[in-house]
Amino acid sequence: LIAKLRLKITAKNTVIVFLPDYFCNEALTLLRKENVKLYFYTIDEELNPTKESIYTLLNKNIFPDLIIQVHYFGKPYNTSFLRSIADKYSSWFIEDATHVMVPTGLIGEHGDFILYSQYKHFPIPEGALLVIHKPILIQNINVKLVIDSLFLIDDESHKKLSKLSSHLIWILKRLFQKYLFNFSVKPILNPIPKQIKFITSGHTMSLYAKTMLKHLIPTIDQRIAKKFQTVSKIQYILSLIGDNQADNINYIPYLQRYKTSRETPNIISIVKEQNDIWRHFPYYLWPDLPPEVLSNKVQHKIAEDLYLSSLFLPIHTSISNDQLDVFMKACLRYTNERSDSFLNSH
């Protein structure tokens, strides 16, 4: 939508987008269908944009129409640098806050547009939000007409579902999570992220989902408190394994990163080695890196290294203490068995 609006405002043939290389390719599906050129700037190990990569693009006379910065995992990131670049080149600055449950600190303060994703944080089948922070940028555009044109183009890059189908799938997923969460399932791992097919039920939120969200809003404070309790316990459990270096969480967490401190990190082989642990708790290998990033591993080394050395545990409010206890017992068994093995070998 933002790309379409930019095309109309500037009357250009192509929109140039700067975005981080540590980004989910699936989320770019619809954007790739528009007249856009994507340029991936690099991030450092703390997931901040590297200024050098931005200046490299600018020195090649590649000037952005849209600049995207991500608040990864719910953590507020400093957006002042990219905001200054956007101001200098009359770009639109977009804050991707889809990992953010409730904006804190300066999240959403600097963006011309801010993206949120309520369905990631609340038990609802769908629902996301685009905040147009500066409506003056598009004051002469009939936004409704542009929105209605979003899904007219049809191709094989994504799958369309009816609202009824998407809701039924969601209900089945919730039932599986509730009743089959602790079943032992050996994970199938891929060393390189698969390209995922984007699935959509359209650009409108159903009355069913809106009603559910309305009833959940009063529970936000309790849900935030539950998230902090859950992440604290998960960090403690991960410390039992001995490899994890937990970050200090002073923001509302979305995922907890598990990263190994081994000299040659490869999370795939480590999860296989620790299978008795990870078959008891869900995790993500994230993100499905864009093909432009995977095709230039030298330039985008940090993004790929982060992918290959990390897995992520969901900090969902639906995670029960019983499920955490099962996870903790598995970690304790693994630690004890490793200690016994070490003693026996010496």
Side-chain angles (χ1 to χ4, degrees), residues 29 79 126 139 168 174 178-179 196 219 243-244 294 324:
T29 302
T79 59
E126 60 186 5
Q139 61 181 346
L168 287 174
R174 293 290 296 174
K178 184 174 180 62
Y179 296 107
I196 303 169
T219 70
D243 280 340
N244 197 56
L294 293 173
L324 290 170

Side-chain angles (χ1 to χ4, degrees), residues 19-79:
L19 66 160
D21 55 0
Y22 195 58
F23 201 84
C24 187
N25 186 57
E26 181 194 11
L28 301 174
T29 302
L30 298 181
L31 186 61
R32 291 184 186 277
K33 295 167 65 173
E34 306 301 330
N35 294 326
V36 303
K37 288 186 177 180
L38 303 180
Y39 292 90
F40 294 90
Y41 63 79
T42 61
I43 46 93
D44 62 24
E45 292 183 353
E46 301 301 319
L47 307 182
N48 294 296
T50 60
K51 295 182 179 181
E52 295 79 6
S53 63
I54 298 292
Y55 290 135
T56 296
L57 291 170
L58 296 174
N59 290 336
K60 294 178 180 178
N61 293 323
I62 301 172
F63 305 122
D65 291 287
L66 310 178
I67 306 178
I68 301 172
Q69 183 168 353
V70 179
H71 294 289
Y72 292 101
F73 318 128
K75 179 180 178 180
Y77 279 79
N78 190 330
T79 59

